[in-house]
Amino acid sequence: MKKFLLTMTSSFLILSILWVVGIKYQLGAATASSRWVYDAYQHKIHAAQAVNTPRVLVVAGSNAMFGIDSGMLENFWQKPVINLAVNAGLGLPYILDVSRRIARPGDIILMPMEYALYLDAGKANSQVIDYVIARDLDYWRSLTRLQQLQYAAGLGPERWLHGLRHLPDSPVTSGTYGAHHLDARGDQTDSSPAERSAGDIAALKVAKAWDYGHRAATETGGWKLMENYAQWAKANNICVIAMPTVLLHHAKYDSDVEDQIFYTGLPARINKLGLEYLGKPRDFMYEESWFFDTDHHLQDWAREKHTAKLIALLQAREKTACDKQ
Amino acid sequence: MLFNSFEFLFLFLPITLAVWWLCKKTGGLRLALGWLVLASLIFYAVWDVRYLAVLLGSISINFWLGGRILQARQQQNDNLASRWMKAGIGFNLLVLCGFKYTYFLLANLFAVFHAAPPIDPVVLPLAISFVTFQKIAYLVDCRRGDVHRHNALDYLFFVSFFPQLIAGPIVHHKPLIAQTRVDENPLFGQQEALITGAAFLALGLFKKAILADSMARYASPVFELARHTTPGGEAAWQAMLAYSLQLYFDFSAYSDMAIGLALMFGFKLPVNFFSPYKATSIIDFWRRWHMTLSSFLRDYLYIPLGGNRHGQFKRYRNLWLTMLLAGIWHGAGWNFFLWGALHGSMLLLNHFWHHVLQGSAALRAVWNKLPAALSIVVTFILVAFAWVLFRAPDMASAGHMYAALLQPDSGTRLPTLPWQNIAHVAEALLSTSVDAGWLWISIGMAIVWFLPNTTQLLKYDPSPNVAVSQLSERRQMALGIIAGVCLWFALKWMAVRPATEFLYFNF
């Protein structure tokens, strides 16, 4: 029995140590899969850092990269607007952390966060693990030992092997995503109807309704993270305004009881966390013809209409907790 | 709760084991068995607590019926005992049919009148097919006089023991209950049982998490595509072979884990798989695949139908009917019906061929000279062809798959691996990318054809109340390394891929 337990535990430990050593060896080793996000963030962070006056920062996943016209918002606010939105796949903790690193007192954060992010309890997914280990060692070092272990456990074997290879890194210059398709404020370019591929159209045709309502009723969600974020913003004199995300409309959202409870109750739920929430989610669900390649990405002409609706809400906004800025 | 989930491995199992040992040590085996029953019911209820009532209701009625049969036997009233047994079998089949076949029958009936069935498909209570067979076997054993101790706790334990509750192996009352006596079961005091059990569990986890779930990536998308259209020939072949391997690794993994878990508690379960893809004929295949189902069908269906006692024609008829019912047992659908009929027909042909060989010494001499490898490959291909019916969601999909399989050159070719770049090949393998399909299938085939099975590897003797063989230090170390490596890889895979249900949970 002793020999069995000893060899079983030893084999397990040796493999675990090898795994961890492999991760140590590849920290900062670039991967092709993380490059477009890196390019996009570098572009946006440089744009934000170049402004010394109070700014408006758009914080969300890629729905806002495609769906927000920062120029229109700049005209409305008469302040520089930087669109920091890149990819919801990075998860709520990482997206919030990036904004924390960039925001300064006096800034406004406009947050049209994807519904999936409100439901993100913070478990690291393969995408953020790939990105952080390859590109953001500051964030990696900011994690607790336990979180680093969770990242190590969540790293896929193929990604582990890929990182060990230390392959050469080169910027993304083609395809829909990347800094090459961002304007100076960080908004997506080249998203006109003419630029849609057959694959983009097909992907939208098969897009199914999400089950956020059910998830919200059964999962922990990211509410605590949002509450902490609200407290951080308040302590740093940063005004956060949450607004609905863009979403392809499905009939289910009007008929499913759990969905109705979630979408109609979301503004009040966000308010309770100490954040201002403008608008109703249902008003920002659009038909298929508005979208570019996914059910969260608008075409350029639809972005203008959507941003105009957001501005109308901002104009009608009452004096709020973080004052009318 | 899935065996291949973290909550099972790190919460349910350690707690259940610890309390089991504690109860056994302080309160005796009966208390420990009571705990095991309670834990098993919790294990079942985690899926859907509503079906616990169905399970417990059915257990109560069957236990009562078993008592009636035994009482009638004691009164030497065989007719009454038989009537009670038939009533019990009828009741169990009614419950099974009610859940499993009502929608299928109504859908086909209403389809004749071009109308939709008046009800939605009924959600099948988990494990109902397996549990029903065990309960029927118990009633028949009562009638035959094979049950000597009709006890509520024993019966609850026999039906609900969690390692075999959901998907077998199908266990008989007598050999399992015979192991619930401290003085007769040497495994309760044997550390080797725990070691061998842990090794079984680790190997099973590896087979499920890495082999079966990886194969699924090459099978499922093609079968899904076949719902709508005929896939390419190469893709169809890949999907058929991948599914054949997936099903074997998945189901045998479950059986390995069930055997391992039972051993950890000191019980032996029967072997359910013995390298079925090494079978040299269809007859041989059914002696190696889902062996406890084959035994059940032989003992409780084929033999009661008359078996081979009434001439060749009735023997073949009984065999064919048995396989047909085996097909229907797997699911309510015409594809399962056909799958059963096909296997029944192949078995008949196989038996007929044996009959022909017996009558011709010259033919037998030629036949015996054929290499076994050829028989193994032909048998495997036949079985794999039949699995298409088993996997296809409907007959139209199966038709699309067969059309593609018969035209291997049709459609677009699948991407190939850049073999000159070993690192890329390794990455493709680990990520189960599209171009690594044939590599995964080759690995799977090598495992099923050239490696010993888990029963052989761990020298497992399923005989009840026979001690697990003593392990030398060297063997302990070898098992420790195998278990540690398999466990590590399985847990690593489980951490990055969501746990999937075992295929046989659907049946």
Side-chain angles (χ1 to χ4, degrees):
Chain A
M1 181 75 168
K2 272 184 189 167
K3 291 280 178 194
F4 172 81
L5 287 176
L6 192 72
T7 46
M8 188 173 98
T9 315
S10 306
S11 329
F12 197 91
L13 279 176
I14 288 167
L15 287 171
S16 303
I17 290 165
L18 271 176
W19 187 262
V20 171
V21 169
I23 291 174
K24 281 267 181 197
Y25 170 72
Q26 65 178 272
L27 282 175
T31 55
S33 50
S34 60
R35 180 68 202 232
W36 83 263
V37 174
Y38 175 74
D39 290 345
Y41 263 134
Q42 290 305 305
H43 177 91
K44 290 169 185 234
I45 290 168
H46 287 145
Q49 285 171 340
V51 180
N52 294 319
T53 55
R55 309 151 297 179
V56 177
L57 304 174
V58 180
V59 175
S62 58
N63 95 85
M65 186 165 77
F66 279 81
I68 297 281
D69 186 325
S70 300
M72 286 172 72
L73 283 176
E74 213 166 271
N75 286 337
F76 165 72
W77 251 308
Q78 293 299 307
K79 286 182 182 183
V81 175
I82 310 298
N83 191 340
L84 288 178
V86 176
N87 188 352
L90 293 167
L92 185 63
Y94 187 80
I95 289 172
L96 294 182
D97 188 84
V98 171
S99 73
R100 276 191 175 110
R101 285 188 256 171
I102 293 165
R104 296 190 293 247
D107 284 346
I108 297 172
I109 288 178
L110 191 66
M111 206 164 64
M113 203 75 97
E114 282 86 347
Y115 302 119
L117 290 175
Y118 289 120
L119 302 174
D120 181 354
K123 191 182 171 199
N125 61 38
S126 59
Q127 193 175 343
V128 74
I129 293 172
D130 172 34
Y131 185 78
V132 168
I133 288 178
R135 307 281 179 182
D136 195 346
L137 296 188
D138 287 342
Y139 186 76
W140 169 260
R141 290 185 198 106
S142 75
L143 297 173
T144 62
R145 283 276 177 230
L146 181 65
Q147 286 171 323
Q148 286 182 345
L149 270 179
Q150 285 167 342
Y151 268 59
L155 188 72
E158 68 280 5
R159 168 63 182 81
W160 183 81
L161 192 61
H162 187 80
L164 290 179
R165 294 170 69 191
H166 284 266
L167 293 172
D169 194 21
S170 52
V172 175
T173 52
S174 61
T176 304
Y177 301 96
H180 61 292
H181 279 170
L182 295 177
D183 68 12
R185 297 183 188 91
D187 294 347
Q188 179 79 20
T189 62
D190 302 278
S191 54
S192 68
E195 268 136 331
R196 299 177 80 200
S197 69
D200 295 337
I201 295 165
L204 269 169
K205 289 273 178 226
V206 296
K208 289 178 182 164
W210 296 94
D211 62 345
Y212 296 135
H214 179 68
R215 286 184 55 196
T218 53
E219 294 177 13
T220 320
W223 311 110
K224 190 68 196 165
L225 288 168
M226 294 300 296
E227 191 176 12
N228 292 342
Y229 189 73
Q231 287 165 1
W232 162 83
K234 197 173 177 184
N236 287 280
N237 189 29
I238 293 165
C239 175
V240 180
I241 305 167
M243 300 188 91
T245 183
V246 166
L247 187 62
L248 172 63
H249 177 253
H250 287 276
K252 172 180 174 282
Y253 301 142
D254 300 329
S255 59
D256 186 274
V257 176
E258 284 180 322
D259 279 344
Q260 283 185 323
I261 291 170
F262 173 65
Y263 292 116
T264 53
L266 185 67
R269 196 163 187 179
I270 301 291
N271 284 335
K272 266 190 182 174
L273 302 176
L275 290 170
E276 182 182 355
Y277 193 98
L278 291 183
K280 296 174 186 167
R282 179 63 186 83
D283 295 340
F284 295 85
M285 294 180 185
Y286 305 121
E287 61 183 61
E288 192 189 307
S289 61
W290 284 44
F291 289 83
F292 184 73
D293 61 342
T294 78
D295 57 0
H296 280 87
H297 296 170
L298 290 177
Q299 296 173 33
D300 54 3
W301 62 268
R303 167 173 45 202
E304 283 178 31
K305 289 190 169 201
H306 172 69
T307 310
K309 281 175 78 175
L310 293 179
I311 289 171
L313 276 176
L314 289 164
Q315 277 172 331
R317 171 172 166 252
E318 295 291 318
K319 191 171 180 180
T320 62
C322 58
D323 212 349
K324 195 156 186 172
Q325 292 188 45
Chain B
M1 204 181 304
L2 296 166
F3 291 166
N4 54 327
S5 65
F6 287 102
E7 57 265 39
F8 175 82
L9 293 169
F10 295 109
L11 204 66
F12 180 85
L13 183 60
I15 292 173
T16 309
L17 260 176
V19 178
W20 157 260
W21 280 329
L22 196 69
C23 288
K24 201 153 55 88
K25 202 172 176 184
T26 57
L29 189 62
R30 302 304 287 173
L31 180 68
L33 274 183
W35 160 250
L36 211 46
V37 167
L38 180 68
S40 298
L41 295 177
I42 292 169
F43 173 82
Y44 185 80
V46 167
W47 262 290
D48 194 333
V49 74
R50 289 170 301 171
Y51 289 125
L52 185 62
V54 177
L55 182 73
L56 287 175
S58 166
I59 284 175
S60 307
I61 292 169
N62 272 281
F63 182 69
W64 178 77
L65 283 164
R68 297 299 94 199
I69 296 169
L70 291 172
Q71 195 180 40
R73 271 184 61 85
Q74 267 182 350
Q75 293 163 352
Q76 299 191 330
N77 189 341
D78 282 352
N79 280 341
L80 185 61
S82 293
R83 280 205 297 275
W84 278 119
M85 181 192 73
K86 284 173 187 166
I89 293 172
F91 165 74
N92 282 301
L93 291 179
L94 203 66
V95 173
L96 182 65
C97 293
F99 278 108
K100 202 162 181 174
Y101 305 109
T102 306
Y103 179 78
F104 172 69
L105 293 172
L106 285 175
N108 279 283
L109 186 68
F110 277 73
V112 175
F113 305 103
H114 304 287
I119 58 166
D120 290 328
V122 183
V123 179
L124 204 61
L126 201 67
I128 191 168
S129 303
F130 285 91
V131 171
T132 300
F133 271 17
Q134 288 200 186
K135 286 185 292 202
I136 288 175
Y138 181 77
L139 295 176
V140 177
D141 288 350
C142 282
R143 175 66 190 88
R144 288 175 177 170
D146 290 337
V147 174
H148 302 297
R149 198 173 69 182
H150 180 65
N151 174 281
L153 180 61
D154 284 349
Y155 185 74
L156 266 169
F157 168 66
F158 155 67
V159 177
S160 69
F161 185 36
F162 75 87
Q164 50 85 48
L165 171 64
I166 310 296
I170 298 168
V171 180
H172 289 257
H173 179 264
K174 195 176 168 182
L176 187 64
I177 295 308
Q179 299 177 59
T180 60
R181 289 168 186 267
V182 181
D183 51 342
E184 289 181 14
N185 188 345
L187 271 65
F188 289 145
Q190 248 201 316
Q191 288 182 338
E192 281 82 357
L194 193 66
I195 294 174
T196 313
F200 260 112
L201 183 65
L203 282 165
L205 272 173
F206 182 87
K207 277 161 92 172
K208 168 62 181 164
I210 293 164
L211 298 175
D213 288 353
S214 297
M215 295 298 169
R217 294 189 175 220
Y218 301 104
S220 302
V222 182
F223 276 97
E224 202 52 41
L225 180 68
R227 280 177 187 270
H228 313 289
T229 184
T230 303
E234 188 186 353
W237 271 89
Q238 197 176 77
M240 179 186 75
L241 296 175
Y243 179 69
S244 303
L245 292 165
Q246 181 202 353
L247 186 62
Y248 168 65
F249 287 130
D250 189 281
F251 195 15
S252 69
Y254 186 88
S255 294
D256 287 345
M257 283 188 253
I259 290 170
L261 290 164
L263 272 177
M264 291 166 93
F265 288 90
F267 297 99
K268 282 189 176 176
L269 296 181
V271 173
N272 218 11
F273 290 89
F274 200 86
S275 303
Y277 291 150
K278 287 179 187 166
T280 52
S281 67
I282 296 295
I283 296 172
D284 191 23
F285 173 77
W286 280 105
R287 287 181 186 141
R288 293 162 174 267
W289 179 274
H290 205 173
M291 293 148 76
T292 56
L293 176 70
S294 302
S295 301
F296 178 91
L297 293 172
R298 183 196 61 216
D299 295 344
Y300 299 101
L301 192 59
Y302 174 69
I303 291 173
L305 278 171
N308 56 5
R309 285 166 292 168
H310 304 290
Q312 283 296 341
F313 174 76
K314 284 191 176 173
R315 178 196 177 198
Y316 287 155
R317 183 204 64 184
N318 295 338
L319 192 60
W320 194 80
L321 279 176
T322 303
M323 290 312 296
L324 190 70
L325 287 168
I328 297 169
W329 175 81
H330 280 92
W334 290 110
N335 46 335
F336 289 109
F337 182 90
L338 269 182
W339 176 78
L342 181 60
H343 265 283
S345 305
M346 290 196 291
L347 273 177
L348 293 197
L349 282 173
N350 203 166
H351 279 289
F352 178 71
W353 179 242
H354 278 195
H355 186 68
V356 170
L357 285 180
Q358 277 170 359
S360 166
L363 197 59
R364 201 163 57 241
V366 174
W367 181 253
N368 288 341
K369 277 183 186 166
L370 287 176
L374 184 67
S375 310
I376 290 172
V377 172
V378 170
T379 305
F380 174 73
I381 295 293
L382 287 174
V383 169
F385 257 79
W387 285 139
V388 171
L389 282 168
F390 198 84
R391 171 62 178 82
D394 49 50
M395 287 306 297
S397 308
H400 286 145
M401 283 297 290
Y402 283 124
L405 288 167
L406 294 173
Q407 290 179 301
D409 290 330
S410 63
T412 49
R413 305 290 298 176
L414 296 175
T416 52
L417 279 170
W419 292 101
Q420 67 282 4
N421 187 341
I422 295 298
H424 184 92
V425 170
E427 265 184 52
L429 184 73
L430 291 172
S431 62
T432 52
S433 65
V434 180
D435 50 0
W438 288 118
L439 183 57
W440 268 105
I441 289 167
S442 306
I443 291 170
M445 294 308 311
I447 291 171
V448 299
W449 275 345
F450 302 115
L451 291 188
N453 59 51
T454 39
T455 309
Q456 292 168 317
L457 190 70
L458 301 174
K459 296 188 174 167
Y460 176 65
D461 172 7
S463 312
N465 293 340
V466 173
V468 174
S469 53
Q470 292 288 325
L471 301 172
S472 64
E473 285 202 345
R474 202 173 155 178
R475 188 158 177 78
Q476 276 195 41
M477 287 168 70
L479 284 183
I481 292 169
I482 291 172
V485 171
C486 285
L487 192 65
W488 190 90
F489 276 99
L491 292 178
K492 186 77 220 64
W493 253 250
M494 283 160 58
V496 292
R497 292 179 190 168
T500 58
E501 279 195 356
F502 291 86
L503 292 176
Y504 256 70
F505 285 14
N506 300 320
F507 304 130

